[in-house]
Amino acid sequence: MSEDIKQAASRKANKAVFLQTLSAVLWSFFGVRKSKSHSEDMQNLNPVHVIVVGLLAAALFVLGLLALVNYVVGSA
């Protein structure tokens, strides 16, 4: 099993893979994934990249919510 993890973590990224990773993360935030897409993502994506993109997306989401709350409270 450790060979599978090493192989998955050694996958290189390019623009198409980055967009596929971003798409996978955003769909997972929304909570909707097709099993076929999930299987393809497991074969093509680097798990380290998925974690990094997920953390960045979560941070942007939280910062967006904070900005929205500050705007609403400040305009009241």
Side-chain angles (χ1 to χ4, degrees), residues 17-36:
V17 173
F18 173 74
L19 293 176
Q20 186 179 5
T21 303
L22 184 60
S23 173
V25 168
L26 294 178
W27 277 116
S28 67
F29 275 18
F30 187 62
V32 178
R33 294 288 292 151
K34 293 181 181 179
S35 62
K36 181 181 177 186

Side-chain angles (χ1 to χ4, degrees), residues 59-75:
L60 288 174
F61 180 71
V62 169
L63 290 173
L65 287 177
L66 288 172
L68 178 66
V69 168
N70 283 332
Y71 175 75
V72 169
V73 170
S75 65

